[in-house]
Amino acid sequence: MTPDRIPNQVNYSVTPDKFDAVLFDLDGVLTATAKVHASCWKKTFDEFLQQHAKENDIPFQAFEIETDYKLYVDGKPRYEGVKSFLESRNIHLPQGSLEDDPTAKTICGVGNRKNEFVHLVLETEGVEVYSGSVDWVKHLMSQGIKTAVVSSSKNCEIVLKAAGIIELFKIRVDGKVAAQLKIPGKPAPDTFLKAAEMLGIEPKRAVVVEDAISGVQAGSAGGFGLVIGVDREGDAQALKDNGADIVVSDLSEMLTNSSVVS
C-alpha cells in the first residue's frame, strides 16, 4: 500500500474533501449482469469442452463458475478470458480475428459465441440494476463528485442504456475504448488510469469500486486513493487479499457508513 492510500478502517466515507471521483466497474457492481456473463461463459465453454473431449477421446470436465470463472475470466477482456481459461486446461487455440464466426475454433470465435449468448439474454430478459449502487451514485453526484464506468465489457454501452443509467456517468472506459486506445485491460490498472485522466483527476483522489479479483488488483496497482470491493458471492477475503481496502456486500452501505470488512 502506498502512503497516499487510505488505511483500512471500519468507519469510512467518500466525501469531496477526500476524493474527486469514483470509478465503477459495471457487471456485479452497478448491474446484475455478472450472473448473466457467468452463465453465458459456462454455456459457451461447456459446449466447446464437450466437443473437444469427443474429438480427443478424453473425459469431459465442465467449466466451473465458482473456480474457473473467478480465476480466469471474471473482469478480464473477453478474448483474454477465453485464452486464460483454455490455457488452464492446456488447450491452445489460434487467436483468429474479431470477425470470426462464433463457430470458429479460435480465441475470437469462442469469445464471439459467448457474446451471442449475452445479447440473447439481454434482449429476452433485460438488465437488473442494483438499486443501492444507483442511490450511492446519485448521492455522489449531488456532492459534486465525478463518476465514471470502467468495464472490460464491449457491451458496456448497451447494458447501461438497457439499465437506464447511462446518463449517470460522464466518462466510460470499456472494452471498445481499451481496444481503440490499445491499452491493456484488468488486472492492469490502465483502464482505470485512463478514466481518471479523462476526468482530470489524480489517481490518489479517485476511488475504484470492483467486485472482481482482477478489478481490485487493477485498483491496487494503480495507486488509487481507495479500493472498494463489492462482495456479492461470499468472496470478501479474496477481495481483501487482492487489493480491496474495504469490502461491502452492497453499495447502499456507503450511504449509511456501515461496518465493512477492513
Side-chain angles (χ1 to χ4, degrees):
M1 181 177 293
T2 66
D4 291 324
R5 300 286 292 281
I6 303 299
N8 289 343
Q9 52 189 315
V10 172
N11 294 315
Y12 62 91
S13 60
V14 175
T15 52
D17 59 314
K18 299 176 183 176
F19 302 106
D20 300 314
V22 179
L23 315 177
F24 293 87
D25 180 36
L26 177 64
D27 305 322
V29 172
L30 297 170
T31 62
T33 39
K35 296 176 182 178
V36 172
H37 285 287
S39 64
C40 289
W41 277 120
K42 179 167 177 59
K43 188 172 182 179
T44 300
F45 281 129
D46 281 356
E47 179 182 85
F48 175 87
L49 292 169
Q50 285 174 338
Q51 185 63 31
H52 179 76
K54 182 179 180 181
E55 292 175 353
N56 292 275
D57 194 26
I58 58 176
F60 165 66
Q61 183 184 354
F63 176 84
E64 300 293 342
I65 291 176
E66 287 302 311
T67 52
D68 295 323
Y69 176 69
K70 293 176 182 177
L71 287 174
Y72 305 114
V73 178
D74 191 17
K76 295 181 181 179
R78 187 190 311 155
Y79 303 124
E80 289 182 23
V82 174
K83 184 174 185 290
S84 178
F85 168 68
L86 291 182
E87 288 185 349
S88 78
R89 297 290 182 89
N90 200 30
I91 300 172
H92 303 276
L93 296 181
Q95 182 68 26
S97 67
L98 301 181
E99 295 76 27
D100 277 359
D101 189 275
T103 62
K105 291 183 179 180
T106 62
I107 297 294
C108 291
V110 175
N112 292 345
R113 178 66 167 159
K114 180 261 181 178
N115 203 42
E116 277 193 337
F117 289 138
V118 170
H119 278 253
L120 179 61
V121 173
L122 292 179
E123 290 170 4
T124 58
E125 300 179 18
V127 178
E128 179 185 349
V129 176
Y130 290 114
S131 59
S133 299
V134 174
D135 289 344
W136 191 47
V137 170
K138 292 179 178 179
H139 173 73
L140 293 170
M141 293 175 68
S142 73
Q143 293 186 302
I145 296 176
K146 298 177 181 179
T147 58
V149 172
V150 180
S151 171
S152 297
S153 176
K154 291 186 176 181
N155 295 314
C156 181
E157 183 177 6
I158 295 172
V159 172
L160 287 171
K161 286 181 177 178
I165 57 174
I166 194 167
E167 74 283 352
L168 299 180
F169 303 97
K170 183 177 180 180
I171 293 295
R172 184 182 71 255
V173 178
D174 58 15
K176 289 183 178 180
V177 173
Q180 290 168 357
L181 298 178
K182 297 183 179 180
I183 55 177
K186 308 166 191 176
D190 301 57
T191 49
F192 282 115
L193 292 171
K194 174 54 68 173
E197 177 188 328
M198 292 170 71
L199 288 170
I201 303 299
E202 293 183 40
K204 66 181 180 180
R205 292 284 299 179
V207 178
V208 166
V209 186
E210 268 283 358
D211 74 315
I213 289 174
S214 62
V216 294
Q217 289 173 336
S220 179
F224 290 91
L226 182 68
V227 179
I228 300 174
V230 181
D231 173 31
R232 304 204 189 269
E233 302 292 338
D235 297 325
Q237 193 57 53
L239 291 169
K240 285 290 298 175
D241 291 344
N242 284 278
D245 295 312
I246 56 178
V247 179
V248 298
S249 59
D250 188 87
L251 288 173
S252 60
E253 295 175 36
M254 300 301 297
L255 289 167
T256 59
N257 211 29
S258 301
S259 296
V260 298
V261 177
S262 57

